[in-house]
Amino acid sequence: MIKLASASFSFCCFSTTLSPIFIIQVFTLQNPYRRLIKLAWPIWITQAIQTLMVTIDLVMSAQVSDADMAAVGTALSIWHPVFFFALGCMMVLAPLLSRSYGSSNNKAFQHDLNQSLWFALLVAIIFTVCLFAAMPLLSLLSLDKPLVEIGQQYLTYLALGIPFICFIGAFRYLNESLGQTKPLMYISIFGLLCNIPLNYLFIYGSAITPKMGGAGCGIATTIVNIIVLVSLYIFSKYSRHTQQFAKNLRFEKIEIATQLKLIRLGCPIGLTLFLEIALFAAVALAIATHGTNAAAAHQIALNVVTNFYMIPLSIGMAATVLIGQSIGKNDQYSAKSWVKYTLIVSIAFSVLSTTTIILFRSVFASMFEPSQQVFQLAIALLVWAGIFQLPDVIQTSFSSCLRGYADTQVPFVLVLVSYWLLGFPLGMILSETNWIIPQQGPEGYWQGLLIGLSCTSILLYLRLKRVWNHQI
């Protein structure tokens, strides 16, 4: 698992050297592309840092014992669905604040920002309760008692940080809606530098802190979140871009209509992220029934595509802001243009990443130092994982663009149908039966994912066309 964790982040760095984003920057294409990339690359760095922090937690907890690392890794399987659901709910602020900013309606922007504090508090309360409610699941997994105790302690400390994570979201989208994506990147780098010594203090103990083993990662992570929140607040208060809004930020009288709007638009985003995580978790569990080698090979393929995927995801998040700003200006032409620019850059990257994964699949697989059996299966899965990049990047782009139009409910339903009513069942049929073609084994699940994501891409494109028609 240590090899898996450490190799995971290395792909993140490797993929950037092959990315068309950097090629585009070198040749300095037209201004719209540069503006999109200027917003996107700090978001990617921020995403990469979050991945690295999880890797550091796993590696440092492993130095205590295998049980500590296993407990942290298992607890993360409960933490991630809750975390991304909450994160998705807060993402609704990106299109709403961007739209207010684009319309130059500072009063509406301030109102939405102030109301977002109540929304962040609501999301924090709900998902803190959900995480505590989910902790007993560890006891139901027939794990050794030490793993259950360490895992539950780790989740308890993480739960204490959920309110800070949600309020970070409010300040994050305050900055990003104004086109300021670098502040969180710099602050995240600072948080990463704090995370390592804090992990050391609470995992291994010191003269002023007890030795807590893997559970100490949870305390360190929560303290880092506090540091990030305070730093982001101070920056926002004194930055010339955000100070006029930050100085008037307060818990004004709660407005039920605004909260219902945030819930109506935000929950589908959170549910969509949850469905994606749940889908890959279900596929991992299903492939694990084919044996240890199949499970290990799947994790290798998944780690490779996940790290490549962070770049188009970041481009999509930048597109949400730019489209929202254009909608706020009532400039439908610019909004459509941003969709086009986003697709061009994302598809260019997906073609390059697909080619890279397939051509260098042996190199990627060998980085995890697997056994020969795992290696052979991994390079077979990486062919499908490489092809998987194309529809995955396209559906991410369409989903992000629709989010810029504040269209979140229908895309959620389309994802639900494509993932869970088509992709996963079809993957199970291809993998476990010979009803359609000869039984495919673990590769069948990746084939099902490929078909499901292709369907999602088509449906989201049709939805975007419909939104455009209604905008006329």
Side-chain angles (χ1 to χ4, degrees), residues 307-361:
N307 284 291
F308 274 97
Y309 171 74
M310 284 195 291
I311 293 177
L313 176 63
S314 302
I315 295 171
M317 294 174 73
T320 298
V321 171
L322 294 169
I323 292 170
Q325 291 177 353
S326 297
I327 296 298
K329 296 174 183 176
N330 200 27
D331 187 349
Q332 301 300 330
Y333 177 80
S334 291
K336 288 185 178 182
S337 296
W338 285 122
V339 174
K340 180 184 72 174
Y341 302 141
T342 301
L343 285 173
I344 289 173
V345 175
S346 297
I347 292 175
F349 174 80
S350 69
V351 171
L352 190 57
S353 62
T354 294
T355 305
T356 301
I357 290 172
I358 293 176
L359 291 180
F360 296 97
R361 61 188 185 277

Side-chain angles (χ1 to χ4, degrees), residues 158-176:
L158 287 179
L160 298 177
I162 290 179
F164 305 108
I165 292 172
C166 292
F167 285 111
I168 286 171
F171 285 100
R172 171 179 184 165
Y173 295 115
L174 161 62
N175 283 272
E176 290 188 2

